[in-house]
């Protein structure tokens, strides 16, 4: 059964009651919330995800709820709770859905150490070759990811590259792509067919909107992928879309800098990154025009062995 | 009261063989709250049961085990850097708790979640040690003058120091128990019986019986029980390890009397045996009875400790749990400060809590 099989009211009831359990690729998450924006966001973005009815074991027990103070009514806020623990400050009520997304990222980054996790988007070309786009926030990583996904690349993740530290495979966790500020308009123009959720204004990252992950990517979420390219993208107004080969040794260091739990793996983590860089074409990539960038990616030569 | 699955699993790992997924769900959550998942993974592995754990919960056990292993490597490195920093002063450093278990390579260190590094130095050397650490990049976390004064006046440690680049935290103690405590323990006797760590000049650990007594004192005479079960599991691990030598038990009872720590020893033995089935000779149990609280007080202490020594999770709490924890928090301070100051301090803490800040999600995500 999929989430879209639930009626709007039963979705709300479940969220407000005993909780809704979703299979989000490798994660089973139980979600509870009486906040309407969470129900709306889940209904739009997670429509194609499998419902785990009566699942006994959940990786994460998530709750989005108003704080137990005046901010419940006045200048309303929501807080994110992971099994009763609130890892960050309450945020405005209107940002409830982004709060859920950030919170789920936090859960992954702090608990899912069976994978080496890098802050990166992962997408796969039709020929089965995947690219890791690693970059700090604000580099245009998500925009590029959304552009490629709109042109048929499979979405594995917009935020988290889940790397098996020994097999070096990439485990998908396709979730909504988070766009910020100007990127929202860029994608609206570039991919009018993309399903965009409502815009949350004035978050700590500015305006944020999410794109629904393609149904096909969600359907294939159990299929692991292999990286063929590691790319460090950077949006730069007016720059030609140009992949510049990047030293492998420096690629390893840059990946480590963008990793959430590199230190937890010690030597194994180092070997994993070296193995990945060895097997991939490594590039720095600046782009000013999304269409041009997508064309370059479509034509990227197969990785080097 | 609902089931404390973590204690049950620590006491008898075999019980996990027939654990339903629904119980695994509670066990992982309780274990996470108690910071004992890494330790549980180690015990399961030793009992050759880890492979038969269903995959979904096993992933969490293995993940926390991995983290604990790396924390241990990081802690070793940190201890060596601390030794290097303090070494210039020539002051001997006694490692306490986790750092001691790790550097002495005790089995209890395996899979144990690490917090700060605790060291003990002579009180007279405190100023030298503090400035040596500052020169090497550690700085005091508490900038608030009240906190600074509170630590320096009422604690047996100076305010925690954090390394500016590595972010690691060190607690520098100058006594094993707070100086004004209502328990008069002979810190000096324990300090002077310390044992040098082989191959690591300048570093020492407490002798086995003293290590147990310090761990017990730290757990039962202070007010924070967030990691209470973790600390009880430490005691269990230490007792099981040292107790393989029958002479240890005799020494432990005698030593507790000598240094005036029969009360915490009584609590440690009582609750370790009760919750974690630690095998303790009957003779020592009888001997420790001399340290028991009065018959009138005992039910109250049982009431509090039996609740606080569970994972801090709603699936193993009842309506009285938070009251019990609060009573122990107040007791921890009462053991340390005169009553009128205690009232002021608690009032201040209550206000401060309201305005405490935590980090933005991006920072938390990066943590």
């Amino acid at each position: 059964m999929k989430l879209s099989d639930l009626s709007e009211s039963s979705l709300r009831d479940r969220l407000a009651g005993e909780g809704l359990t979703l299979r989000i690729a490798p994660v089973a998450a139980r979600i509870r919330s009486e906040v309407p924006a969470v129900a709306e966001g889940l209904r739009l973005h997670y429509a194609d995800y499998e419902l785990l009815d009566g699942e006994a074991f959940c990786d994460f027990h998530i709750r989005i709820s108003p704080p137990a103070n005046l901010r419940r009514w006045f200048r309303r806020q929501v807080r994110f709770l992971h099994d009763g623990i609130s890892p960050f400050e309450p945020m405005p009520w209107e940002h409830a859905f982004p709060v859920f997304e950030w919170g789920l990222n936090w859960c992954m980054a702090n608990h899912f150490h069976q994978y080496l996790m890098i802050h990166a988007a992962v997408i796969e070309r039709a020929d089965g070759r995947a690219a890791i786009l690693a970059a700090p926030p604000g580099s245009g990583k998500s925009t590029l990811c959304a552009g490629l996904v709109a042109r048929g690349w499979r979405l594995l993740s917009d935020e988290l590259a889940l790397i098996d530290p020994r097999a070096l495979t990439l485990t998908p966790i396709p979730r909504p792509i988070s766009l910020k500020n100007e990127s929202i308009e860029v994608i609206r123009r570039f991919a009018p067919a993309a399903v965009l959720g409502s815009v949350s204004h004035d978050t700590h990252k500015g305006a944020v909107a999410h794109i629904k992950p393609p149904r096909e990517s969600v359907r294939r979420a159990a299929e692991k992928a292999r990286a063929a390219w590691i790319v460090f993208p950077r949006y730069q107004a007016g720059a030609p879309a140009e992949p510049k080969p990047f030293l492998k040794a420096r690629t390893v260091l840059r990946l480590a800098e963008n990793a959430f739990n590199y230190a937890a793996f010690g030597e194994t983590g180092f070997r994993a990154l070296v193995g990945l860089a060895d097997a991939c074409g490594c590039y720095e990539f600046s782009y000013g025009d999304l269409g041009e960038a997508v064309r370059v990616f479509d034509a990227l030569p197969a990785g080097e062995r | 009261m609902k089931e404390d699955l973590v204690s049950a699993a620590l006491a008898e790992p075999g019980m996990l063989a027939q654990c339903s997924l629904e119980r695994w769900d509670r066990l992982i959550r309780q274990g996470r709250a108690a910071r004992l998942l890494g330790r549980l993974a180690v015990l399961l592995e030793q009992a050759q049961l880890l492979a038969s754990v269903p995959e979904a919960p096993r992933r969490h056990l293995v993940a926390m085990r991995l983290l604990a292993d790396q924390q241990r490597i990081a802690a070793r490195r940190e201890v060596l850097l601390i030794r290097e920093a303090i070494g210039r002063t020539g002051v001997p450093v006694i490692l306490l708790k986790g750092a001691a278990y790790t550097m002495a390579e005790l089995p209890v260190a395996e899979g144990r979640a690490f917090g700060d590094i605790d060291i003990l130095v002579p009180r007279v050397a405190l100023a030298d040690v503090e400035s040596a650490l500052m020169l090497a990049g550690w700085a005091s976390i508490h900038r608030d003058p009240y906190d600074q004064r509170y630590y320096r006046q009422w604690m047996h440690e100076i305010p925690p120091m954090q390394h500016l680049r590595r972010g690691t935290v060190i607690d520098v103690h100058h006594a094993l128990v707070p100086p004004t405590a209502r328990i008069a323990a002979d810190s000096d006797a324990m300090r002077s019986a310390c044992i040098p760590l082989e191959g690591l000049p300048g570093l020492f650990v407490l002798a086995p019986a003293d290590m147990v007594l310090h761990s017990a004192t730290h757990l039962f005479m202070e007010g924070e029980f967030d990691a209470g079960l973790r600390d009880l599991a430490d005691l269990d691990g230490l007792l099981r390890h040292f107790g393989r030598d029958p002479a240890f038990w005799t020494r432990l009872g005698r030593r507790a009397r000598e240094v005036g720590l029969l009360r915490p020893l009584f609590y440690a033995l009582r609750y370790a045996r009760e919750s974690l089935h630690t095998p303790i000779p009957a003779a020592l149990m009888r001997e420790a009875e001399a340290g028991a609280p009065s018959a009138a007080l005992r039910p109250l202490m049982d009431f509090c400790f039996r609740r606080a020594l569970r994972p801090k999770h709603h699936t193993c709490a009842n309506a009285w749990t938070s009251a019990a924890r609060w009573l122990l928090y107040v007791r921890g301070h009462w053991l340390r400060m005169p009553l009128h100051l205690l009232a002021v301090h608690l009032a201040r803490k209550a206000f401060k809590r309201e305005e405490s800040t935590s980090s933005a999600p991006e920072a938390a995500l990066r943590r």
Side-chain angles (χ1 to χ4, degrees):
Chain A
M1 190 168 162
K2 298 236 170 76
L3 188 140
S4 55
D5 296 330
L6 286 182
S7 71
E8 196 172 340
S9 63
S10 63
L11 171 65
R12 267 171 203 256
D13 289 350
R14 285 233 210 158
L15 279 171
E18 84 275 29
L20 182 81
T21 308
L22 279 184
R23 154 85 38 223
I24 305 173
V27 175
R30 181 163 302 157
I31 308 157
R32 291 172 65 195
S33 181
E34 60 270 57
V35 183
V38 174
E40 277 158 34
L42 288 173
R43 194 170 148 74
L44 174 66
H45 292 294
Y46 287 83
D48 302 320
Y49 290 71
E50 191 192 343
L51 277 184
L52 296 174
D53 268 320
E55 180 76 11
F57 186 90
C58 293
D59 293 292
F60 303 124
H61 294 254
I62 290 170
R63 182 146 194 209
I64 313 278
S65 64
N69 59 28
L70 283 176
R71 302 301 283 272
R72 176 179 281 271
W73 297 287
F74 173 69
R75 293 182 60 194
R76 297 164 90 191
Q77 290 184 324
V78 289
R79 18 169 233 170
F80 175 88
L81 294 165
H82 167 236
D83 203 13
I85 305 285
S86 172
F88 25 84
E89 291 286 283
M91 284 187 248
W93 175 265
E94 299 74 35
H95 302 163
F97 185 68
V99 166
F100 165 74
E101 288 291 320
W102 294 327
L104 186 52
N105 287 341
W106 178 88
C107 287
M108 297 290 297
N110 287 280
H111 298 95
F112 242 51
H113 305 301
Q114 61 267 39
Y115 300 112
L116 177 58
M117 288 179 276
I118 298 177
H119 194 190
V122 185
I123 62 269
E124 186 192 57
R125 202 162 69 179
D127 61 359
R129 293 191 167 86
I132 297 174
L133 309 179
S139 337
K141 155 182 74 80
S142 290
T143 319
L144 182 55
C145 170
L148 288 166
V149 168
R151 293 294 183 267
W153 288 55
R154 170 160 84 109
L155 173 69
L156 278 84
S157 174
D158 165 48
E159 286 278 0
L160 285 171
L162 305 180
I163 300 164
D164 182 304
R166 283 173 190 86
L168 304 186
T169 48
L170 300 167
T171 294
I173 175 155
R175 286 171 44 210
I177 302 172
S178 147
L179 295 176
K180 277 154 274 178
N181 304 317
E182 294 82 13
S183 313
I184 300 172
E185 212 34 57
V186 169
I187 293 299
R188 269 200 187 124
R189 278 199 308 272
F190 184 77
V195 181
L196 255 143
S198 57
V199 181
S200 301
H201 292 282
D202 303 318
T203 75
H204 65 288
K205 300 182 179 194
V208 171
H210 290 88
I211 301 181
K212 182 185 175 185
R215 182 171 300 160
E216 184 65 4
S217 300
V218 177
R219 191 182 65 75
R220 292 177 57 197
E223 291 173 34
K224 293 181 182 171
R226 280 216 165 259
W229 308 285
I230 299 164
V231 182
F232 302 104
R234 199 157 76 89
Y235 168 79
Q236 211 177 349
E242 210 177 354
K244 288 195 199 109
F246 195 61
L247 270 180
K248 302 222 170 200
R250 297 190 63 186
T251 299
V252 170
L253 297 181
R254 281 272 279 276
L255 286 178
E257 267 171 38
N258 283 287
F260 289 113
N261 61 347
Y262 176 64
F265 284 92
E267 191 184 335
T268 314
F270 175 74
R271 286 184 190 283
L273 294 187
V274 169
L276 266 184
D278 246 348
C280 289
C282 305
Y283 303 98
E284 268 192 322
F285 178 70
S286 48
Y287 72 98
D289 178 75
L290 187 56
E292 200 187 338
V294 170
R295 280 192 296 281
V296 168
F297 267 71
D298 279 337
L300 271 180
E304 37 207 85
R305 279 271 157 196
Chain B
M1 206 165 356
K2 289 166 271 179
E3 205 177 4
D4 165 5
L5 288 161
V6 180
S7 295
L10 289 170
E12 182 42 74
M15 66 81 89
L16 296 174
Q18 316 71 300
C19 202
S20 68
L21 271 177
E22 187 275 327
R23 287 176 97 203
W24 269 114
D25 183 85
R26 267 184 294 144
L27 176 59
I28 294 293
R29 295 163 76 188
Q30 293 180 3
R32 198 187 271 150
R35 304 182 66 204
L36 276 165
L37 287 182
R39 185 79 195 128
L40 263 178
V42 167
L43 294 176
L44 282 168
E45 201 167 15
Q46 285 166 357
Q48 301 190 333
L49 288 167
L50 191 59
S52 56
V53 174
E55 199 205 332
R58 192 176 67 234
R59 294 191 303 190
H60 290 275
L61 291 166
V62 171
M64 289 304 136
R65 165 81 202 268
L66 180 85
L67 214 55
D69 285 349
Q70 288 306 321
Q71 281 174 347
R72 203 147 50 114
I73 293 171
R76 288 190 76 88
R77 176 165 167 266
E78 197 65 21
V79 166
L80 296 180
L81 290 167
I82 289 168
R83 180 180 71 148
E84 197 184 303
I86 299 181
R88 295 173 205 133
T89 65
V91 173
V93 173
I94 301 179
L95 301 170
L96 300 174
K97 297 193 281 186
Y101 311 152
T102 298
M103 298 309 279
E105 293 177 10
L106 296 176
V108 69
E110 262 190 272
R112 185 185 187 273
F114 236 96
D116 311 340
I117 298 210
D118 297 274
I119 66 167
L120 175 71
V121 298
R123 198 185 164 94
V124 289
L126 210 50
D128 287 347
V129 167
E130 203 175 346
S131 50
L133 286 172
M134 282 168 79
L135 277 177
W138 278 271
S140 202
I141 293 175
H142 293 276
R143 304 272 152 73
D144 179 6
Y146 179 86
D147 286 343
Q148 283 282 343
R149 213 168 52 237
Y150 169 76
Y151 268 98
R152 289 178 195 276
Q153 191 160 3
W154 300 113
M155 298 288 282
H156 52 312
E157 59 187 289
I158 61 173
M161 298 174 85
Q162 185 169 37
H163 196 273
L164 295 174
R165 274 217 328 277
R166 296 192 301 277
T168 47
V169 175
I170 174 172
D171 288 333
V172 182
H173 300 247
H174 51 77
L176 289 167
V177 291
T180 55
R182 282 161 221 256
I183 19 160
D186 191 349
S187 281
D188 289 342
M190 293 164 83
R191 198 195 287 256
S192 53
C194 69
I195 296 171
L197 279 173
E198 214 176 304
L200 297 165
L203 293 181
F204 300 81
V205 295
L206 296 174
D210 291 346
M211 202 183 263
V212 169
L213 291 172
H214 174 251
S215 176
T217 309
H218 175 72
L219 173 57
F220 289 101
M221 297 294 151
E222 290 192 21
E224 291 278 359
F225 282 80
D226 288 4
L229 183 57
R230 200 269 315 258
D231 293 354
L232 193 68
D234 282 351
L235 278 163
D236 170 71
L238 291 173
L239 290 168
R240 285 177 197 261
H241 175 66
F242 294 135
R244 290 174 311 166
D245 170 13
F248 164 77
W249 299 107
T250 333
R251 237 178 298 138
L252 180 59
R254 196 181 57 220
R255 188 64 167 169
R257 250 179 295 120
E258 266 170 29
V259 297
L261 290 175
L262 259 182
R263 174 68 57 92
L265 179 65
F266 167 79
Y267 287 139
L269 300 180
R270 179 176 180 81
Y271 300 111
R273 192 170 75 155
E274 192 177 284
S275 300
L276 307 178
H277 303 179
T278 316
I280 295 159
L284 181 62
M285 288 303 291
R286 277 195 302 278
E287 199 178 341
E289 276 288 326
S294 69
L297 199 55
R298 207 190 271 216
L300 177 67
M301 298 322 291
D302 277 347
F303 172 90
C304 290
F305 284 133
R306 281 181 183 144
R307 282 166 180 77
L309 291 171
R310 288 169 157 248
K312 201 174 175 186
H313 195 266
H314 67 90
T315 58
C316 55
N318 70 8
W320 295 101
T321 304
S322 53
R325 285 184 187 272
W326 183 80
L327 278 174
L328 288 174
Y329 178 75
V330 175
R331 168 183 172 269
H333 282 82
W334 178 79
L335 288 172
R336 169 185 308 157
M337 346 170 68
L339 199 57
H340 64 284
L341 288 175
L342 169 65
V344 173
H345 179 68
L346 290 179
R348 194 184 161 90
K349 283 281 150 194
F351 274 109
K352 286 299 276 188
R353 196 167 298 176
E354 286 297 302
E355 55 191 64
S356 73
T357 52
S358 66
S359 48
E362 201 73 83
L365 189 59
R366 285 264 165 204
R367 203 162 52 123

